[in-house]
């Protein structure tokens, strides 16, 4: 018999108990050199173990968790991300966005991306009709993009996407292909920061509920609905990437969004197209009107704010002796 | 346009921020009637959100986590459970076993099951040779099963499994089938609580490291080795199911087991077969000898201890107003 085992020089673990195992796992996880990764792992393991200790999680419950996560993994495909859906439905996605993309007062807040953005939506000109659904209620959208000082921002790439009148995104149809894109477009703001287009009034819809996350919502007595909204994504070098959405005030699901996306500042009331607007934009007088001024934040403003908020949060949490490296906290071990 | 949305009567969420989202998610998750599930979810969401707040987890780091979990899910098959491996390598499995199967002093402690137990190992008689590996170092195993009062326990079903001399379990070979079972057996204790068999001296081996969990260990600077051990599982109605293993003292990985399974009480020193034993058991004098007395705990003892420990833990954690229902804590909301 050969003994394949070389002597190893690693932290010494022994006689692990409910009370000392966390410290031991963190010790052995701390051998690498990436200080940020070590901090993330230390917090992850500590929370996971505290969760087990506080619930006295049973072997059967743990196994149910293992089976649930496995089913979530098995449900993921190129066009379906069930772990993101899980993160969305547990409020984690919104939390991460709020932490990673802090917004100063009066700038436009971000919200959840959701799984229906595509990277190759068709480029369209100002005034285009982005929805071909004849059953949708026509909506004229007149928007503007400004800096936090109120100056217009030109040449911003704007991704817009919404469902059809039945509450389905184009990508949810089995015969979807890039050429059949509908309810989505990429526009550019003009030199006054203006972009405008014709769409349909958004409707509520259900998140995909035929998988393990849908089962979870059912067991928890939760509905799978999202309130009526239209998605927007803004990109321009020098500005923080903004992923957001506008929500229709008064929607039945306004205060119970299955993915926790609604924010007060993103709720809008639709207006009606005036006679003058009808003529100017070539739409019917009295039809629905969406107007909104989006305010983008520069990368520099974001970086500064992220740093400040990280410092403030560490203080509030009582986590002293932390360094903030590129906006992300790590323990100062020196 | 039809509006498919009925009015809903659910808790009201609005204007979610970093600071209030957790409370809101817990509120909407608390609509079901299963008090235990609600408590588990409340703790899970709170820890997950606190983890994000304490690390100020970035969008990129979150996405790396989503991709990691997806890869773990994709690696799972009928014969490979990568989520259990993840749980094992983060010390969660050992923790859960310690919580769920508390042991009074002097009883045999449990440890991680690992992924290599099968449900249809061959039944064998006392004295059987369970390993057909000609390169293994012969090991005579003389064991006994007792109650906490020292009385022998007869007719216990004992599952035993170990690797071959190369450190591989039978199921890890591509051509494995039930008929090719090797290094594993099911025995029964006799009326004196005795079971004995011939095996080989265990060797260290690597946990499967060709998947995302192996990558994780690599990134963390951790080795994938488990110290030399032999697995045992004991089942008899009226007694708490015992999953355990015996570890060879002095193994190079004794204090750095990749899955945190080693406990002081499960470390053994092998002896040598005496002339008398050699004759009695039909093995070579001087060959290796394993002797161990396993002490099982009754279901009733376990239930009582689990309750006591849950109560004590809730008190230590400062979680007041908890009811213990079948050994598991839930908040007493009345």
């Amino acid at each position: 018999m050969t003994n394949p085992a070389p002597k190893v020089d690693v932290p010494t673990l022994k006689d692990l108990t409910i009370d000392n195992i966390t410290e031991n796992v963190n010790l052995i996880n701390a051998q690498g050199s990436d200080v940020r990764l070590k901090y993330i792992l230390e917090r992850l393991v500590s929370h996971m173990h505290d969760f087990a200790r506080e619930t006295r999680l049973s072997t059967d419950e743990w196994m149910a968790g293992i089976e649930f996560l496995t089913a979530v993994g098995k449900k993921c495909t190129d066009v379906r991300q069930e772990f993101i859906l899980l993160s969305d439905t547990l409020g984690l996605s919104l939390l991460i966005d709020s932490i990673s993309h802090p917004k100063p007062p009066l700038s436009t807040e971000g919200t959840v991306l959701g799984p229906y953005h595509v990277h190759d939506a068709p480029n369209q000109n100002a005034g285009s009709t982005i929805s071909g659904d004849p059953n949708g209620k026509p909506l004229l959208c007149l928007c503007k993009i400004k800096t936090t000082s109120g100056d217009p921002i030109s040449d911003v790439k704007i991704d817009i996407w919404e469902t059809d009148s039945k509450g389905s995104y184009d990508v949810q149809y089995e015969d979807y292909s890039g050429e059949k894109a509908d309810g989505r477009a990429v526009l550019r703001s003009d030199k006054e920061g203006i972009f405008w287009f014709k769409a349909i009034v958004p409707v509520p819809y259900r998140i995909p509920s035929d998988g393990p996350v849908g089962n979870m919502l059912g067991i928890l007595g939760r509905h799978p609905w999202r309130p009526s909204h239209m998605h927007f994504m803004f990109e321009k070098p020098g500005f923080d990437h903004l992923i957001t959405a506008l929500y229709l005030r008064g929607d039945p699901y306004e205060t119970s969004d299955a993915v926790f996306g609604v924010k007060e500042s993103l709720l809008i009331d639709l207006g009606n197209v005036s006679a003058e607007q009808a003529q100017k934009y070539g739409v019917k007088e009295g039809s629905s009107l969406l107007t909104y001024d989006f305010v983008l934040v520069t990368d520099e403003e974001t970086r500064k704010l992220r740093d400040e908020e990280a410092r403030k949060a560490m203080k509030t949490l009582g986590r002293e002796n932390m360094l903030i490296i590129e906006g992300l906290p790590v323990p100062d071990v020196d």
Side-chain angles (χ1 to χ4, degrees), chain A:
Chain A
M1 194 199 71
T2 57
N3 187 335
K7 277 277 172 195
V8 287
D9 182 25
V10 296
T12 298
L13 317 175
K14 203 183 249 183
D15 208 23
L16 301 166
T17 66
I18 294 175
D19 297 319
N20 74 15
I21 186 163
T22 308
E23 193 187 328
N24 273 286
V25 175
N26 285 332
L27 188 71
I28 214 154
N29 276 345
Q31 300 172 76
S33 58
D34 183 332
V35 289
R36 174 69 180 162
L37 181 63
K38 283 197 274 187
Y39 178 55
I40 289 176
L41 255 283
E42 186 268 323
R43 289 288 79 214
L44 181 72
V45 168
S46 298
H47 278 295
M48 205 165 64
H49 287 198
D50 283 346
F51 163 69
R53 279 186 287 255
E54 288 172 11
T55 57
R56 310 287 301 175
L57 201 71
S58 75
T59 306
D60 289 346
E61 290 166 342
W62 168 83
M63 185 50 89
I66 293 284
E67 285 168 0
F68 176 73
L69 291 173
T70 306
V72 171
K74 293 291 168 210
K75 194 75 189 172
C76 293
T77 65
D78 287 349
V79 294
R80 170 94 175 240
Q81 230 307 346
E82 194 81 356
F83 274 113
I84 292 187
L85 199 64
L86 180 59
S87 170
D88 291 353
T89 54
L90 295 181
L92 184 64
S93 305
L94 185 81
L95 177 59
I96 297 292
D97 180 74
S98 304
I99 289 172
S100 237
H101 299 280
K103 304 296 176 200
L106 302 183
S107 64
T108 302
E109 290 189 276
T111 185
V112 290
L113 172 65
Y116 297 117
H117 175 253
V118 302
H119 292 282
D120 55 356
N123 287 298
Q124 296 209 1
N125 295 323
S128 293
T129 298
I130 73 165
S131 172
D133 185 348
N135 299 313
K137 198 173 160 193
L139 177 69
L140 174 66
C141 304
L142 304 178
C143 305
K144 202 169 171 178
I145 313 179
K146 304 185 299 185
T147 65
T148 48
S149 343
D151 298 321
I153 314 177
S154 64
D155 205 31
V156 176
K157 180 187 172 195
I158 309 130
D159 248 285
I160 304 153
W161 65 108
E162 65 167 341
T163 70
D164 62 17
S165 63
K166 291 203 284 274
S168 292
Y169 289 94
D170 53 2
V171 292
Q172 292 181 279
Y173 288 99
E174 277 193 15
D175 63 346
Y176 171 77
S177 69
E179 293 83 53
K180 294 198 181 175
D182 190 47
R184 67 176 75 241
V186 172
L187 298 178
R188 296 259 165 193
S189 58
D190 68 16
K191 63 180 189 297
E192 272 116 43
I194 289 168
F195 67 99
W196 70 281
F197 58 98
K198 295 165 196 163
I200 60 172
V201 175
V203 296
Y205 65 82
R206 271 178 288 213
I207 59 169
S209 51
D210 61 335
V213 173
N215 291 346
M216 178 188 82
L217 296 186
I219 290 166
L220 291 173
R222 287 176 53 178
H223 70 67
W225 289 91
R226 296 216 63 202
S228 311
H229 63 278
M230 188 181 288
H231 289 277
F232 295 86
M233 183 191 283
F234 300 88
E235 286 175 272
K236 177 168 180 166
F239 290 89
D240 191 43
H241 195 93
L242 173 63
I243 294 166
T244 192
L246 297 177
Y247 297 87
L248 302 193
R249 199 189 306 278
D251 185 281
Y253 306 110
E254 176 188 326
T255 61
S256 67
D257 185 358
V259 304
F260 305 97
V262 183
K263 293 182 178 182
E264 183 64 32
S265 70
L266 302 174
L267 282 170
I268 53 165
D269 295 292
L270 297 184
N272 292 103
V273 171
S274 67
E276 195 189 345
Q277 286 169 326
Q279 190 164 1
K280 180 171 176 187
Y281 296 106
V283 299
K284 218 167 134 189
E285 184 184 343
S287 59
S288 293
L289 175 70
L290 179 159
T291 55
Y292 202 82
D293 285 3
F294 294 92
V295 179
L296 301 194
V297 185
T298 64
D299 277 337
E300 204 184 319
E301 286 174 297
T302 302
R303 238 184 335 257
K304 196 164 157 254
L305 194 57
R306 201 188 283 131
D307 259 45
E308 273 171 28
E309 293 202 352
R311 264 176 246 285
K312 211 191 303 173
M314 290 303 107
K315 204 169 170 187
T316 309
L317 292 167
R319 300 191 77 78
E320 306 292 342
N321 286 324
M322 301 294 286
L323 292 175
I324 308 295
I325 299 176
E326 294 174 24
L328 303 174
V330 296
D332 184 2
V333 288
D334 294 327

